[in-house]
Amino acid sequence: MGAKPEGASSAEGRSQNQANRRATSVDVAAESGVSQATVARVFSSPNKVSPATREKVRSAADRLGYVPNAIARSLKSQRTNIVGAVVPAYGEYWQNVLAEFSRQLAQRSYQLLLFSFAKSDDVDGALSSVAQYRLDGVILASATIGQSHLGRMQSSALPTVAFNQPAAEGLVPSVSVDNEEGMAELARHLVDIGVKAAAYIGGVSSVSTDQIRYRGAVQELAEHGIACPYIEAGAYTYDAGYKAAGQLAQRDNLPEAVMVGSDEVAFGVLDGLENAGVLVPGDLLLTGFDGLPQASWAGYDLTTLVQATDVLVAQAMDVLLGPADTSADRPVSIVVPGTIRYGKTTRKGA
Amino acid sequence: MGAKPEGASSAEGRSQNQANRRATSVDVAAESGVSQATVARVFSSPNKVSPATREKVRSAADRLGYVPNAIARSLKSQRTNIVGAVVPAYGEYWQNVLAEFSRQLAQRSYQLLLFSFAKSDDVDGALSSVAQYRLDGVILASATIGQSHLGRMQSSALPTVAFNQPAAEGLVPSVSVDNEEGMAELARHLVDIGVKAAAYIGGVSSVSTDQIRYRGAVQELAEHGIACPYIEAGAYTYDAGYKAAGQLAQRDNLPEAVMVGSDEVAFGVLDGLENAGVLVPGDLLLTGFDGLPQASWAGYDLTTLVQATDVLVAQAMDVLLGPADTSADRPVSIVVPGTIRYGKTTRKGA
DNA sequence: GTGAAAGCGCTAACAT
DNA sequence: ATGTTAGCGCTTTCAC
């Protein structure tokens, strides 16, 4: 970083700011003998400049190491080409979603400004920051973003999409996997293979996806006269699942199957059960939800509901940046179906 | 969004109402009867404004839904409060590192602008983008960023830190785990438990971390007269490891131990071996590298070298934002030692 | 303590 | 095709 032109003498180390000033379009204009506006045009609409001038300007720019200043551009154009994402800092699921956001945004030549938060209290701070940068849009991705926050977005004139956050429906445009139907399908699968008693392990019972997924399970099972008590792991982590499994294993009468509200917790449940001497699928069948890559790893080979993350994200991008569907009275809520992955954790007799 | 007018009351005739335009400091100034400069002061250095005025301005701002415009602020102040990160789009390791970056940056009230790339060809594009936003710093995190790219950064006047990228040492300030010594320690562990024949599975042999880690293994083992051929998985993925293990398992004479260059590949190797009927640690010992959370999961319980990600990231932050050590002739390169996690994959007789 | 005024580096009419 | 001219919304002297 230090050593550009001018020899950058060692004594001048700290105050390099002044000497090392970045070249601006004015500098390039002077260097190439054209007006500042022409320089600007070369970099924003090159076809409006004659090839000869274009070349002259380009080479002057190269010589000076000129790069257009996106901040200034944004101030003037009122567009930043940046989309914000408010996402939980941890969790396999969110990390995967984030990677997909980033990939698809890059494809549309947008940048991703990340606002991650560790505890849900930090969401407030994140949202304040969001408002300061005049982003072209913002993705609210986290089951724990509350109604009040959504209300704030709703009235903020900033294009917003809630990702996998059923509670947002009607308040803010949203894109979600079909949580209820997905879990119901998994339940049906258990019914099909003859399960007569089940239990459900959720992450945090106050979270809307948790409730909806549980409802999907419980209703479907009820139709077949199967009870399905709710057990709260307390967090969406491997460890929480592991512990919950340990407690479950100590019961006198184990259910035949356990449905877990998310894959990461399910991995913990699986290991926790086996650690307690309960074999899956021998003693107990197990299902997850999300379809994380690890679910397909041979070590787990989990039956789960796979979310088509790429489709979900693509839909979210469309809502945010696409054919501006600002006309609707009520924010759109797009629901994407999931698909079951059948793993060995529900393979009876394996 | 769009259709929804802002929550302001209809009584406001001013210009802001019509075009959904965000209120500016000028609007607030008009509303509160002070000058624009005073409004600005209230939001940037409140202590320079009398409490009475401050309150007056604050309430006017609330009424108008005013939020300072960070773009304008940045243009003027030449600081964005944003740090860029150039990171591979996929891979467990990088996702974890990214989460930690994001956490620690938030702590210092910086935002993270993500430039992720899928193929290393995309790095060029990412770096061009980086230059346009006048970021306060940039983190180059990826083993596959080439020398040419580093050269570009070196001459860009933009504070830069290379993360876990040994090839950058001397070119750009860098922070890395002690790759060579870490792998050597794992090798020593194998020697200690009596291993006499080993093999090494790397990801991509042309990557510098790969080479350095292999060197750490090979040199340490050589000192004890143990050979350690290199096998290339071809990618840093579970699947690549799984496949490599399948091929390894077909050999006539298996080594006693396999050292794998990264955890994610190691998980694949582990499952691939077991799938091929080779038991770990019964038939073969196994080590990884990185210390991913999953390494501690009971299902894997992998012996690996744990990188203190939080420490590495903290160091990187210091280099980037800390006590500006621009004075050094040669860019600093900080090396952080790792620590071994002993799992069941090297527990003999288990 | 507060106001007036001068930009930060760019884009986008509007002239020429 | 190119130059001229206004700003975008802030921060920051410099007066008062």
Side-chain angles (χ1 to χ4, degrees):
Chain A
M1 34 197 261
K4 244 245 116 177
E6 266 212 338
S9 64
S10 48
E12 266 186 318
R14 342 179 106 243
S15 58
Q16 48 121 260
N17 254 359
Q18 274 212 297
N20 237 345
R21 218 200 72 222
R22 289 281 204 113
T24 74
S25 58
V26 175
D27 300 329
V28 178
E31 172 82 8
S32 55
V34 300
S35 75
Q36 179 273 330
T38 297
V39 175
R41 279 192 276 258
V42 169
F43 288 91
S44 54
S45 28
N47 46 320
K48 290 185 175 170
V49 176
S50 81
T53 332
R54 206 185 302 159
E55 244 334 289
K56 201 167 48 174
V57 171
R58 283 242 160 84
S59 85
D62 280 355
R63 230 172 302 138
L64 266 43
Y66 169 75
V67 178
N69 184 329
I71 304 290
R73 190 212 297 295
S74 295
L75 179 59
K76 180 66 196 171
S77 65
Q78 306 285 51
R79 301 188 60 258
T80 52
N81 249 297
I82 295 178
V83 167
V86 182
V87 189
Y90 298 104
E92 288 294 326
Y93 173 72
W94 291 114
Q95 290 187 6
N96 282 304
V97 168
L98 188 63
E100 186 63 22
F101 274 140
S102 153
R103 206 178 59 71
Q104 291 197 25
L105 280 171
Q107 227 165 58
R108 303 190 183 215
S109 48
Y110 277 85
Q111 244 44 67
L112 210 211
L113 189 59
L114 194 54
F115 298 86
S116 70
F117 57 93
K119 301 157 297 175
S120 60
D121 316 6
D122 303 342
V123 175
D124 261 316
L127 288 182
S128 308
S129 284
V130 164
Q132 307 218 168
Y133 297 92
R134 298 308 205 248
L135 305 175
D136 292 352
V138 61
I139 301 157
L140 263 30
S142 163
T144 62
I145 295 178
Q147 300 278 331
S148 62
H149 296 123
L150 293 171
R152 269 174 66 184
M153 296 318 300
Q154 185 189 23
S155 60
S156 80
L158 172 64
T160 304
V161 60
F163 189 89
N164 247 344
Q165 206 186 342
E169 286 174 22
L171 278 173
V172 166
S174 68
V175 176
S176 311
V177 73
D178 195 335
N179 287 289
E180 183 161 358
E181 173 59 18
M183 197 58 94
E185 281 177 21
L186 285 170
R188 224 167 288 142
H189 169 52
L190 292 180
V191 170
D192 286 348
I193 57 181
V195 168
K196 300 285 185 230
Y200 184 96
I201 298 182
V204 178
S205 64
S206 62
V207 168
S208 66
T209 47
D210 210 288
Q211 294 164 358
I212 293 177
R213 289 178 190 176
Y214 178 54
R215 193 199 312 151
V218 108
Q219 287 183 351
E220 182 65 31
L221 291 172
E223 281 183 25
H224 300 270
I226 304 171
C228 184
Y230 180 93
I231 300 166
E232 185 178 45
Y236 291 96
T237 62
Y238 175 92
D239 287 342
Y242 194 91
K243 266 188 217 145
Q247 292 171 352
L248 182 69
Q250 291 181 350
R251 295 197 185 173
D252 294 333
N253 55 335
L254 283 176
E256 290 174 56
V258 172
M259 305 191 74
V260 186
S262 75
D263 282 356
E264 187 163 354
V265 175
F267 299 140
V269 170
L270 182 47
D271 286 347
L273 286 173
E274 307 233 318
N275 174 260
V278 179
L279 297 181
V280 176
D283 302 332
L284 190 62
L285 302 181
L286 187 72
T287 64
F289 200 102
D290 286 342
L292 297 186
Q294 290 92 333
S296 311
W297 291 6
Y300 289 104
D301 195 5
L302 181 69
T303 293
T304 186
L305 190 109
V306 181
Q307 300 193 33
T309 311
D310 50 349
V311 175
L312 282 159
V313 168
Q315 293 280 7
M317 300 293 103
D318 282 345
V319 170
L320 217 52
L321 313 168
D325 196 352
T326 8
S327 52
D329 280 356
R330 191 171 174 288
V332 291
S333 12
I334 294 170
V335 174
V336 178
T339 51
I340 297 186
R341 169 187 196 279
Y342 298 94
K344 70 165 184 265
T345 60
T346 56
R347 198 132 37 199
K348 270 198 151 176
Chain B
M1 40 190 266
K4 192 77 192 155
E6 52 243 55
S9 64
S10 49
E12 269 130 77
R14 290 281 150 249
S15 43
Q16 61 103 210
N17 219 344
Q18 51 168 0
N20 224 350
R21 218 198 72 218
R22 288 282 204 111
T24 73
S25 58
V26 175
D27 300 327
V28 178
E31 173 82 9
S32 56
V34 301
S35 76
Q36 179 273 330
T38 297
V39 175
R41 285 193 193 103
V42 169
F43 288 91
S44 54
S45 28
N47 47 319
K48 290 185 177 171
V49 176
S50 80
T53 334
R54 205 185 304 158
E55 244 335 290
K56 202 167 47 173
V57 171
R58 283 242 161 85
S59 85
D62 280 355
R63 232 171 300 138
L64 266 41
Y66 168 75
V67 179
N69 184 329
I71 304 289
R73 190 211 299 292
S74 296
L75 179 59
K76 182 66 196 168
S77 65
Q78 306 285 49
R79 302 188 61 257
T80 51
N81 248 304
I82 295 179
V83 167
V86 182
V87 188
Y90 297 105
E92 288 293 327
Y93 173 72
W94 292 115
Q95 290 188 7
N96 283 303
V97 168
L98 187 64
E100 187 64 22
F101 274 141
S102 154
R103 208 177 59 71
Q104 292 199 24
L105 280 171
Q107 226 165 59
R108 303 190 184 217
S109 49
Y110 276 86
Q111 245 43 68
L112 210 212
L113 189 58
L114 195 53
F115 298 86
S116 70
F117 57 94
K119 303 157 297 178
S120 59
D121 317 5
D122 304 342
V123 175
D124 262 316
L127 288 182
S128 307
S129 285
V130 164
Q132 308 220 164
Y133 298 92
R134 298 306 207 251
L135 305 174
D136 293 352
V138 61
I139 301 158
L140 262 30
S142 163
T144 62
I145 294 177
Q147 300 278 330
S148 62
H149 296 123
L150 293 170
R152 269 173 66 183
M153 296 317 301
Q154 186 189 21
S155 60
S156 81
L158 173 64
T160 304
V161 61
F163 189 89
N164 248 343
Q165 206 185 343
E169 286 174 21
L171 277 173
V172 164
S174 68
V175 176
S176 311
V177 73
D178 194 336
N179 287 290
E180 183 161 359
E181 173 59 18
M183 197 58 94
E185 281 177 22
L186 285 170
R188 224 166 287 143
H189 169 52
L190 292 180
V191 170
D192 287 348
I193 57 180
V195 167
K196 300 285 184 232
Y200 184 97
I201 297 181
V204 178
S205 65
S206 61
V207 168
S208 65
T209 47
D210 210 287
Q211 294 163 357
I212 294 178
R213 289 177 190 177
Y214 178 54
R215 194 199 311 150
V218 111
Q219 287 183 351
E220 183 65 32
L221 291 172
E223 282 184 24
H224 300 270
I226 304 171
C228 183
Y230 181 93
I231 299 166
E232 186 179 43
Y236 291 96
T237 61
Y238 175 91
D239 287 342
Y242 195 91
K243 266 188 216 145
Q247 292 171 351
L248 181 69
Q250 292 182 349
R251 294 198 187 173
D252 294 334
N253 55 336
L254 283 176
E256 291 174 55
V258 171
M259 304 191 76
V260 186
S262 75
D263 282 356
E264 188 163 354
V265 176
F267 298 139
V269 170
L270 182 47
D271 286 346
L273 287 172
E274 307 232 319
N275 176 258
V278 179
L279 298 180
V280 177
D283 302 333
L284 189 61
L285 303 182
L286 186 72
T287 64
F289 200 102
D290 286 341
L292 296 186
Q294 290 92 333
S296 311
W297 291 7
Y300 289 104
D301 195 5
L302 181 68
T303 293
T304 186
L305 190 109
V306 181
Q307 300 194 33
T309 311
D310 50 350
V311 175
L312 282 158
V313 168
Q315 294 280 7
M317 299 293 101
D318 283 345
V319 169
L320 217 52
L321 313 168
D325 197 349
T326 6
S327 52
D329 280 356
R330 192 172 173 288
V332 290
S333 12
I334 294 171
V335 174
V336 178
T339 51
I340 297 186
R341 167 186 198 281
Y342 298 95
K344 70 164 185 266
T345 60
T346 56
R347 198 134 29 193
K348 270 197 150 177

